[in-house]
Amino acid sequence: MPIYNEVTLAKELIRFPSVTPTDAGIMKFLAKKLTAIGFKCKILEFKEKNSKPVKNLYAKLGTLQPNFMFAGHLDVVPPGNLKDWTVKPFNPSVKKKHLIGRGANDMKSAIASWVVAVSKFVSKNKNLNGSISLLITGDEEGIAINGTKKVVEYLKRRKEKINFCLVGEPTNPNKLGEMIKIGRRGSITGRLTIIGTQGHVAYPHMANNPSNTIVKILKKLKEIKFDEGTKNFQATNLEVTKINIDNSADNVIPGLANATFNIRFNNKHSSSSLKKKLNAIFKSITKKNKSKFKVEYMVSGEAFLTKPNQTTYMIQSIIKKMTKIKPKLSTTGGTSDARFIRKIAPCLEFGLVGKTMHKIDEAVSLSDLKKLTNIYTNILENYFK
Ligand SMILES: [Zn+2]
Protein backbone atom coordinates (compact mmCIF):
# COMPACT_ATOMS: atom_id res chain seq x y z
CA MET A 1 0.00 0.00 0.00
CA PRO A 2 1.50 3.38 -0.97
CA ILE A 3 2.40 5.98 1.64
CA TYR A 4 2.18 9.42 0.10
CA ASN A 5 4.20 12.58 0.62
CA GLU A 6 2.36 15.84 1.31
CA VAL A 7 4.60 18.15 -0.75
CA THR A 8 4.50 15.87 -3.81
CA LEU A 9 0.75 15.39 -3.54
CA ALA A 10 0.07 19.11 -2.96
CA LYS A 11 2.13 19.92 -6.07
CA GLU A 12 0.25 17.32 -8.10
CA LEU A 13 -3.08 18.82 -7.01
CA ILE A 14 -2.01 22.42 -7.69
CA ARG A 15 -1.03 21.45 -11.25
CA PHE A 16 -4.71 20.98 -12.15
CA PRO A 17 -6.12 24.39 -13.18
CA SER A 18 -9.37 23.71 -11.32
CA VAL A 19 -10.65 27.27 -11.28
CA THR A 20 -14.17 27.09 -9.90
CA PRO A 21 -16.28 25.29 -11.09
CA THR A 22 -13.93 23.64 -13.63
CA ASP A 23 -12.84 20.15 -12.62
CA ALA A 24 -9.93 19.77 -15.07
CA GLY A 25 -9.67 16.06 -14.14
CA ILE A 26 -8.75 16.64 -10.50
CA MET A 27 -11.54 14.60 -8.86
CA LYS A 28 -10.65 11.55 -10.91
CA PHE A 29 -6.98 12.00 -9.97
CA LEU A 30 -7.74 12.19 -6.25
CA ALA A 31 -10.15 9.25 -6.49
CA LYS A 32 -7.35 7.16 -8.02
CA LYS A 33 -4.98 8.08 -5.16
CA LEU A 34 -7.64 7.15 -2.61
CA THR A 35 -8.61 3.91 -4.35
CA ALA A 36 -4.97 2.82 -4.15
CA ILE A 37 -5.12 2.99 -0.34
CA GLY A 38 -8.41 1.12 -0.08
CA PHE A 39 -11.14 3.74 -0.47
CA LYS A 40 -14.39 3.23 -2.38
CA CYS A 41 -14.92 6.38 -4.43
CA LYS A 42 -18.00 7.88 -5.92
CA ILE A 43 -17.79 10.92 -8.19
CA LEU A 44 -21.04 12.82 -7.98
CA GLU A 45 -21.84 15.30 -10.70
CA PHE A 46 -24.60 17.79 -10.05
CA LYS A 47 -26.04 20.51 -12.20
CA GLU A 48 -28.89 22.91 -12.25
CA LYS A 49 -30.42 25.18 -14.84
CA ASN A 50 -28.24 28.23 -15.51
CA SER A 51 -25.23 26.72 -13.79
CA LYS A 52 -22.32 24.62 -14.99
CA PRO A 53 -22.14 20.96 -13.89
CA VAL A 54 -19.85 20.35 -10.92
CA LYS A 55 -17.97 17.21 -9.92
CA ASN A 56 -17.76 16.20 -6.27
CA LEU A 57 -16.28 13.19 -4.54
CA TYR A 58 -17.46 11.03 -1.68
CA ALA A 59 -14.86 8.46 -0.70
CA LYS A 60 -15.09 5.94 2.11
CA LEU A 61 -12.83 3.42 3.71
CA GLY A 62 -14.48 0.76 5.86
CA THR A 63 -18.13 0.08 6.64
CA LEU A 64 -18.20 0.21 10.43
CA GLN A 65 -19.19 3.01 12.79
CA PRO A 66 -18.04 5.56 13.79
CA ASN A 67 -17.53 7.35 10.49
CA PHE A 68 -15.01 10.21 10.68
CA MET A 69 -15.29 12.53 7.71
CA PHE A 70 -12.88 15.10 6.29
CA ALA A 71 -14.35 17.81 4.07
CA GLY A 72 -12.77 20.26 1.69
CA HIS A 73 -12.74 21.72 -1.80
CA LEU A 74 -10.46 21.31 -4.80
CA ASP A 75 -11.72 24.31 -6.73
CA VAL A 76 -9.69 27.51 -6.51
CA VAL A 77 -10.26 31.18 -7.26
CA PRO A 78 -8.81 32.59 -10.51
CA PRO A 79 -5.12 33.51 -10.32
CA GLY A 80 -5.62 37.19 -11.23
CA ASN A 81 -2.86 38.99 -13.09
CA LEU A 82 -0.32 36.34 -14.12
CA LYS A 83 2.45 38.92 -14.46
CA ASP A 84 2.27 39.65 -10.74
CA TRP A 85 3.09 36.05 -9.81
CA THR A 86 6.71 35.03 -9.23
CA VAL A 87 5.86 31.47 -10.33
CA LYS A 88 3.24 30.15 -12.74
CA PRO A 89 0.16 29.70 -10.49
CA PHE A 90 -0.52 26.17 -11.80
CA ASN A 91 3.11 25.16 -12.00
CA PRO A 92 3.93 25.15 -8.28
CA SER A 93 7.44 25.53 -7.01
CA VAL A 94 9.26 25.76 -3.70
CA LYS A 95 10.99 29.00 -2.81
CA LYS A 96 12.40 29.93 0.59
CA LYS A 97 10.83 26.86 2.21
CA HIS A 98 7.38 27.74 0.90
CA LEU A 99 5.33 25.97 -1.73
CA ILE A 100 3.81 28.60 -4.02
CA GLY A 101 0.84 28.11 -6.34
CA ARG A 102 -2.88 28.76 -6.59
CA GLY A 103 -4.59 26.57 -3.99
CA ALA A 104 -1.39 26.06 -1.96
CA ASN A 105 -3.23 27.54 0.96
CA ASP A 106 -6.93 27.39 0.18
CA MET A 107 -7.00 24.43 0.27
CA LYS A 108 -5.30 21.80 -1.86
CA SER A 109 -2.37 21.42 0.57
CA ALA A 110 -4.63 20.61 3.51
CA ILE A 111 -6.31 17.92 1.41
CA ALA A 112 -2.84 16.56 0.56
CA SER A 113 -1.98 16.53 4.28
CA TRP A 114 -5.16 14.64 5.11
CA VAL A 115 -4.66 12.03 2.39
CA VAL A 116 -1.06 11.49 3.49
CA ALA A 117 -2.19 11.19 7.12
CA VAL A 118 -4.73 8.56 6.11
CA SER A 119 -2.17 6.64 4.02
CA LYS A 120 0.18 6.54 7.01
CA PHE A 121 -2.60 5.59 9.41
CA VAL A 122 -4.06 2.75 7.34
CA SER A 123 -0.65 1.27 6.59
CA LYS A 124 -0.28 0.75 10.34
CA ASN A 125 -3.91 -0.11 11.14
CA LYS A 126 -5.17 -2.83 8.81
CA ASN A 127 -8.38 -3.50 10.74
CA LEU A 128 -10.05 -0.15 11.05
CA ASN A 129 -12.40 0.17 13.98
CA GLY A 130 -14.85 2.37 12.05
CA SER A 131 -14.73 4.26 8.75
CA ILE A 132 -12.91 7.22 7.30
CA SER A 133 -14.60 9.28 4.62
CA LEU A 134 -13.90 12.34 2.50
CA LEU A 135 -16.34 14.82 1.05
CA ILE A 136 -14.51 16.86 -1.56
CA THR A 137 -16.32 19.45 -3.63
CA GLY A 138 -15.52 21.48 -6.73
CA ASP A 139 -17.99 24.23 -5.92
CA GLU A 140 -16.95 26.06 -2.78
CA GLU A 141 -15.40 29.20 -4.21
CA GLY A 142 -18.31 29.77 -6.61
CA ILE A 143 -22.06 29.81 -6.20
CA ALA A 144 -21.97 26.67 -4.05
CA ILE A 145 -25.24 25.16 -5.23
CA ASN A 146 -23.91 22.03 -6.96
CA GLY A 147 -21.32 21.24 -4.33
CA THR A 148 -21.35 20.23 -0.67
CA LYS A 149 -24.99 21.22 -0.31
CA LYS A 150 -26.07 18.55 -2.82
CA VAL A 151 -23.60 15.93 -1.55
CA VAL A 152 -25.08 16.39 1.93
CA GLU A 153 -28.58 15.82 0.49
CA TYR A 154 -27.25 12.69 -1.27
CA LEU A 155 -25.74 11.35 1.97
CA LYS A 156 -28.95 12.09 3.82
CA ARG A 157 -31.00 10.17 1.23
CA ARG A 158 -28.65 7.20 1.56
CA LYS A 159 -28.93 7.44 5.37
CA GLU A 160 -25.15 7.63 5.55
CA LYS A 161 -24.18 8.27 9.14
CA ILE A 162 -21.35 10.73 9.76
CA ASN A 163 -20.26 10.87 13.39
CA PHE A 164 -17.84 13.76 13.16
CA CYS A 165 -16.58 16.05 10.42
CA LEU A 166 -13.30 17.91 10.20
CA VAL A 167 -13.28 20.69 7.60
CA GLY A 168 -9.75 21.52 6.44
CA GLU A 169 -10.21 25.19 5.49
CA PRO A 170 -7.41 27.57 6.51
CA THR A 171 -8.45 28.65 10.01
CA ASN A 172 -5.28 30.16 11.50
CA PRO A 173 -4.77 33.92 11.07
CA ASN A 174 -0.97 34.00 11.58
CA LYS A 175 0.44 30.81 13.05
CA LEU A 176 -0.45 27.15 12.77
CA GLY A 177 -2.26 26.18 15.97
CA GLU A 178 -3.93 29.48 16.77
CA MET A 179 -7.49 28.78 15.81
CA ILE A 180 -10.12 26.07 15.51
CA LYS A 181 -13.52 27.11 14.19
CA ILE A 182 -16.49 25.59 15.97
CA GLY A 183 -19.19 27.56 14.25
CA ARG A 184 -19.77 30.39 11.87
CA ARG A 185 -21.77 33.55 11.80
CA GLY A 186 -24.74 33.76 9.49
CA SER A 187 -24.82 36.09 6.52
CA ILE A 188 -27.73 37.87 4.90
CA THR A 189 -27.67 40.47 2.13
CA GLY A 190 -30.58 42.82 1.49
CA ARG A 191 -31.22 44.84 -1.65
CA LEU A 192 -33.58 47.67 -0.85
CA THR A 193 -35.42 49.90 -3.31
CA ILE A 194 -37.36 52.98 -2.23
CA ILE A 195 -40.03 54.05 -4.66
CA GLY A 196 -40.85 57.75 -4.55
CA THR A 197 -42.32 60.06 -7.15
CA GLN A 198 -40.15 61.70 -9.80
CA GLY A 199 -40.57 65.45 -10.33
CA HIS A 200 -39.08 68.90 -10.94
CA VAL A 201 -36.39 69.83 -8.45
CA ALA A 202 -37.99 73.32 -8.03
CA TYR A 203 -41.35 71.80 -7.14
CA PRO A 204 -40.52 69.25 -4.44
CA HIS A 205 -44.05 69.38 -3.01
CA MET A 206 -45.23 67.80 -6.26
CA ALA A 207 -42.73 64.95 -6.04
CA ASN A 208 -41.53 62.55 -3.37
CA ASN A 209 -37.77 62.27 -3.18
CA PRO A 210 -36.79 58.66 -2.27
CA SER A 211 -33.29 59.80 -1.28
CA ASN A 212 -34.73 61.38 1.91
CA THR A 213 -36.37 58.11 2.81
CA ILE A 214 -33.38 55.91 2.06
CA VAL A 215 -31.05 58.14 4.09
CA LYS A 216 -33.40 57.92 7.08
CA ILE A 217 -33.68 54.17 6.73
CA LEU A 218 -29.94 53.56 6.43
CA LYS A 219 -29.26 55.76 9.45
CA LYS A 220 -31.81 53.78 11.42
CA LEU A 221 -30.33 50.45 10.26
CA LYS A 222 -26.85 51.45 11.37
CA GLU A 223 -28.22 52.51 14.76
CA ILE A 224 -29.79 49.16 15.56
CA LYS A 225 -28.05 47.45 18.45
CA PHE A 226 -28.64 43.83 17.51
CA ASP A 227 -26.85 42.33 20.50
CA GLU A 228 -23.66 42.57 22.51
CA GLY A 229 -22.16 39.34 21.22
CA THR A 230 -22.05 36.06 23.14
CA LYS A 231 -19.40 33.90 24.74
CA ASN A 232 -18.75 32.27 21.37
CA PHE A 233 -19.71 34.99 18.91
CA GLN A 234 -18.86 38.57 17.98
CA ALA A 235 -21.71 41.09 18.07
CA THR A 236 -24.01 41.09 15.05
CA ASN A 237 -23.02 43.78 12.57
CA LEU A 238 -24.64 45.47 9.60
CA GLU A 239 -22.69 47.20 6.83
CA VAL A 240 -24.15 49.22 3.99
CA THR A 241 -22.27 48.16 0.86
CA LYS A 242 -23.97 50.16 -1.91
CA ILE A 243 -26.07 53.30 -2.22
CA ASN A 244 -27.27 54.05 -5.70
CA ILE A 245 -29.55 56.73 -7.13
CA ASP A 246 -29.50 56.49 -10.88
CA ASN A 247 -30.18 59.97 -12.19
CA SER A 248 -28.87 61.56 -15.36
CA ALA A 249 -30.29 65.04 -14.75
CA ASP A 250 -29.46 67.61 -12.05
CA ASN A 251 -32.88 69.24 -12.09
CA VAL A 252 -34.95 66.10 -11.59
CA ILE A 253 -35.97 64.55 -8.32
CA PRO A 254 -35.34 60.83 -8.86
CA GLY A 255 -38.12 58.28 -8.65
CA LEU A 256 -36.05 55.43 -7.19
CA ALA A 257 -33.24 54.97 -4.69
CA ASN A 258 -31.39 51.71 -4.03
CA ALA A 259 -29.16 50.45 -1.27
CA THR A 260 -27.53 47.11 -0.45
CA PHE A 261 -26.46 45.97 2.98
CA ASN A 262 -25.03 42.82 4.55
CA ILE A 263 -25.47 41.52 8.08
CA ARG A 264 -23.10 39.05 9.73
CA PHE A 265 -25.13 37.67 12.61
CA ASN A 266 -24.66 35.38 15.57
CA ASN A 267 -26.93 32.64 16.82
CA LYS A 268 -29.15 35.03 18.77
CA HIS A 269 -30.79 35.71 15.41
CA SER A 270 -32.00 33.84 12.37
CA SER A 271 -32.36 35.20 8.86
CA SER A 272 -36.14 35.24 9.32
CA SER A 273 -36.06 37.09 12.65
CA LEU A 274 -33.78 39.70 11.04
CA LYS A 275 -36.02 40.07 7.99
CA LYS A 276 -38.98 40.70 10.29
CA LYS A 277 -37.11 43.36 12.23
CA LEU A 278 -35.87 45.14 9.11
CA ASN A 279 -39.18 44.98 7.26
CA ALA A 280 -40.88 46.66 10.21
CA ILE A 281 -38.42 49.57 9.93
CA PHE A 282 -38.88 49.86 6.16
CA LYS A 283 -42.63 49.82 6.59
CA SER A 284 -42.85 52.46 9.28
CA ILE A 285 -40.43 54.93 7.64
CA THR A 286 -41.86 54.60 4.12
CA LYS A 287 -45.35 55.01 5.53
CA LYS A 288 -44.37 58.25 7.26
CA ASN A 289 -42.67 59.49 4.07
CA LYS A 290 -45.55 58.35 1.86
CA SER A 291 -43.29 56.23 -0.30
CA LYS A 292 -43.07 52.51 -0.98
CA PHE A 293 -40.33 49.92 -0.67
CA LYS A 294 -39.23 46.66 -2.21
CA VAL A 295 -36.62 44.42 -0.66
CA GLU A 296 -34.87 41.29 -1.89
CA TYR A 297 -32.93 39.12 0.55
CA MET A 298 -30.21 36.56 -0.06
CA VAL A 299 -29.25 34.28 2.80
CA SER A 300 -25.89 32.58 2.41
CA GLY A 301 -26.08 30.78 5.73
CA GLU A 302 -27.60 30.77 9.20
CA ALA A 303 -25.41 31.15 12.25
CA PHE A 304 -24.46 27.88 13.90
CA LEU A 305 -22.33 26.54 16.69
CA THR A 306 -21.13 23.00 17.36
CA LYS A 307 -21.02 22.70 21.12
CA PRO A 308 -17.50 21.52 21.95
CA ASN A 309 -17.53 17.79 22.76
CA GLN A 310 -14.95 15.12 23.60
CA THR A 311 -13.66 15.04 20.00
CA THR A 312 -13.30 18.85 19.95
CA TYR A 313 -11.19 18.79 23.08
CA MET A 314 -9.16 15.80 21.85
CA ILE A 315 -8.32 17.71 18.66
CA GLN A 316 -7.55 20.88 20.60
CA SER A 317 -5.10 19.07 22.85
CA ILE A 318 -3.36 17.37 19.89
CA ILE A 319 -2.89 20.75 18.20
CA LYS A 320 -1.54 22.18 21.42
CA LYS A 321 0.89 19.29 21.78
CA MET A 322 2.18 19.58 18.22
CA THR A 323 2.33 23.39 17.88
CA LYS A 324 2.84 24.50 21.50
CA ILE A 325 -0.10 26.86 21.06
CA LYS A 326 -3.52 26.29 22.60
CA PRO A 327 -5.97 26.92 19.76
CA LYS A 328 -8.86 29.27 20.38
CA LEU A 329 -12.34 27.89 19.69
CA SER A 330 -13.66 30.60 17.40
CA THR A 331 -16.59 31.53 15.17
CA THR A 332 -15.05 34.52 13.37
CA GLY A 333 -14.60 35.02 9.65
CA GLY A 334 -16.74 34.26 6.62
CA THR A 335 -18.96 31.32 5.83
CA SER A 336 -17.73 27.86 4.82
CA ASP A 337 -19.23 24.57 3.69
CA ALA A 338 -19.55 23.59 7.35
CA ARG A 339 -22.86 25.48 7.07
CA PHE A 340 -24.21 22.54 5.03
CA ILE A 341 -22.42 19.66 6.75
CA ARG A 342 -23.48 20.67 10.28
CA LYS A 343 -26.98 19.52 9.26
CA ILE A 344 -25.78 15.89 9.27
CA ALA A 345 -22.78 15.90 11.63
CA PRO A 346 -20.99 17.90 14.30
CA CYS A 347 -18.29 19.94 12.55
CA LEU A 348 -15.01 21.49 13.46
CA GLU A 349 -12.62 23.34 11.16
CA PHE A 350 -8.87 23.27 11.31
CA GLY A 351 -6.37 23.78 8.53
CA LEU A 352 -3.45 25.94 7.48
CA VAL A 353 -2.56 29.61 8.00
CA GLY A 354 -4.87 31.66 5.81
CA LYS A 355 -2.67 34.72 5.32
CA THR A 356 -2.14 34.31 1.57
CA MET A 357 -5.43 32.77 0.51
CA HIS A 358 -6.89 34.14 -2.73
CA LYS A 359 -3.77 36.32 -3.14
CA ILE A 360 -0.99 36.56 -5.71
CA ASP A 361 1.78 34.08 -4.80
CA GLU A 362 -0.49 32.05 -2.53
CA ALA A 363 1.86 29.94 -0.42
CA VAL A 364 2.19 27.37 2.33
CA SER A 365 5.20 26.93 4.56
CA LEU A 366 6.70 23.44 4.16
CA SER A 367 7.08 23.08 7.90
CA ASP A 368 3.40 23.93 8.47
CA LEU A 369 2.43 21.40 5.83
CA LYS A 370 4.41 18.69 7.58
CA LYS A 371 3.05 19.69 10.99
CA LEU A 372 -0.50 19.62 9.68
CA THR A 373 0.02 16.08 8.37
CA ASN A 374 1.27 15.05 11.81
CA ILE A 375 -1.67 16.70 13.52
CA TYR A 376 -4.13 14.95 11.18
CA THR A 377 -2.36 11.58 11.69
CA ASN A 378 -2.57 12.02 15.46
CA ILE A 379 -6.26 12.90 15.25
CA LEU A 380 -6.94 9.65 13.36
CA GLU A 381 -4.91 7.60 15.83
CA ASN A 382 -6.72 9.10 18.81
CA TYR A 383 -10.18 8.96 17.30
CA PHE A 384 -9.93 5.26 16.43
CA LYS A 385 -8.04 4.24 19.56
ZN1 LIG B 1 -11.45 27.53 1.00
Side-chain angles (χ1 to χ4, degrees), residues 25-40:
I26 197 165
M27 286 299 163
K28 207 172 154 193
F29 171 84
L30 184 66
K32 230 172 152 181
K33 290 277 173 189
L34 289 167
T35 306
I37 54 172
F39 277 82
K40 288 215 163 68

Side-chain angles (χ1 to χ4, degrees), residues 20-175:
T20 196
T22 309
D23 171 78
I26 197 165
M27 286 299 163
K28 207 172 154 193
F29 171 84
L30 184 66
K32 230 172 152 181
K33 290 277 173 189
L34 289 167
T35 306
I37 54 172
F39 277 82
K40 288 215 163 68
C41 295
K42 178 124 186 130
I43 290 181
L44 300 152
E45 186 175 81
F46 298 115
K47 68 181 223 185
E48 236 174 59
K49 244 194 186 165
N50 306 322
S51 69
K52 286 186 184 150
V54 172
K55 285 198 173 80
N56 303 273
L57 173 69
Y58 181 66
K60 192 176 178 190
L61 177 76
T63 51
L64 303 173
Q65 297 291 321
N67 181 0
F68 190 99
M69 184 163 88
F70 176 89
H73 62 89
L74 280 175
D75 58 329
V76 294
V77 294
N81 196 350
L82 295 179
K83 277 194 233 138
D84 295 338
W85 284 74
T86 61
V87 306
K88 287 193 177 123
F90 299 108
N91 190 7
S93 65
V94 174
K95 277 184 181 177
K96 291 185 188 153
K97 294 182 183 159
H98 282 73
L99 175 64
I100 309 174
R102 177 54 87 226
N105 198 286
D106 183 12
M107 57 165 282
K108 288 177 171 176
S109 301
I111 292 176
S113 274
W114 179 259
V115 174
V116 172
V118 174
S119 77
K120 286 183 173 166
F121 176 73
V122 295
S123 72
K124 278 195 275 175
N125 301 275
K126 294 280 179 297
N127 296 311
L128 182 60
N129 203 2
S131 345
I132 301 170
S133 55
L134 284 92
L135 188 174
I136 306 292
T137 182
D139 187 18
E140 199 276 340
E141 299 288 9
I143 43 172
I145 57 170
N146 294 315
T148 303
K149 190 174 175 220
K150 290 224 164 79
V151 182
V152 164
E153 285 161 14
Y154 163 87
L155 295 174
K156 240 177 163 175
R157 277 200 303 278
R158 295 200 3 164
K159 298 198 167 57
E160 183 80 353
K161 174 125 177 90
I162 316 289
N163 297 79
F164 198 86
C165 177
L166 170 64
V167 180
E169 288 281 3
T171 49
N172 302 286
N174 293 297
K175 267 188 181 163

